Every structure is written in structure tokens, then in C-alpha cells.
Amino acid sequence: MYLIAGLGNPGDQYKNTRHNIGFLVIQKITRNLVTTNINNPNFQAKVQKYFSNLYVQPQTFMNASGVAIVSIVKYYNIINENIIVIYDDLDLPFGTIKFKIDGGHGGHNGL
């Protein structure tokens, strides 16, 4: 099982901001999939399941997104290697994509 988490902030005032790029990517990925919504209030996240993949939008604010993700990871016993996190990085020019495996959070409080 993979957990693909798109980070962002809940609320209309953040809806189309750069900081919500993770939410926007999850929405694009799942747009044409027939997913099942997982409604578990302990997750503090919007969770959609497609086959064995979970697409997650934490509903905590960005800096507390780990709280939501950890609860889902523990519930489903997902190993760290199967977690993908999508988020903005102000150190990269807008529109640039960077793939990173392992390492620290680089100062990003959401990670």
C-alpha cells in the first residue's frame, strides 16, 4: 500500500495558493479515478482509496500535517518507503519539480 499525501492548508482563503500545491496535485490525480472515501475522524484528513493506494489531504494546517499522516500510517501499517509527500518548496522556482528520496525535512515544518 502506498500513501500519497498532498500538503496544504484547509479553507477557501488558501484554495488556489502556491502553498496548496499538494492539495491541487491530489485533486488532479484523483479527478478521473473511481475512489472510495475513507471517513475516519481520527485521521484529520480527506482520504481517498484507489485499489491499494491512499490519496491524502491533511485537514490540519501545513505545519501539523504530520499528525494526520502519522495516524493513517499507523492504522494501515504503511512503511516509510511507501509514503510520497507532495508540497511546495519556496527554495525552488515556481513550476520546478524536485524528487527526493530520504533525508531531512530541509526546514519545512510540514514534513
Side-chain angles (χ1 to χ4, degrees):
M1 175 175 280
Y2 280 86
L3 183 147
I4 301 95
L7 304 189
N9 285 319
D12 286 340
Q13 67 269 36
Y14 303 106
K15 188 173 183 177
N16 291 312
T17 64
R18 177 179 176 162
H19 210 44
N20 269 21
I21 198 71
F23 280 8
L24 297 171
V25 169
I26 293 295
Q27 289 166 7
K28 289 284 185 187
I29 291 171
T30 60
R31 176 177 54 196
N32 294 318
L33 301 178
V34 179
T35 61
T36 302
N37 291 324
I38 307 294
N39 296 313
N40 184 330
N42 294 325
F43 292 164
Q44 300 180 60
K46 291 182 181 178
V47 181
Q48 299 174 76
K49 186 173 184 181
Y50 182 71
F51 289 98
S52 62
N53 295 325
L54 298 175
Y55 297 92
V56 176
Q57 295 171 306
Q59 296 301 294
T60 57
F61 281 87
M62 174 72 77
N63 291 341
S65 57
V67 173
I69 293 171
V70 166
S71 67
I72 299 165
V73 166
K74 286 183 178 181
Y75 185 86
Y76 287 101
N77 292 318
I78 300 169
I79 59 172
N80 288 343
E81 292 79 12
N82 289 358
I83 300 170
I84 298 168
V85 182
I86 303 163
Y87 63 97
D88 71 313
D89 186 336
L90 293 176
D91 291 335
L92 296 176
F94 187 71
T96 302
I97 297 174
K98 175 182 174 183
F99 292 92
K100 179 179 169 185
I101 298 173
D102 210 359
H105 56 74
H108 195 293
N109 292 330
L111 295 177

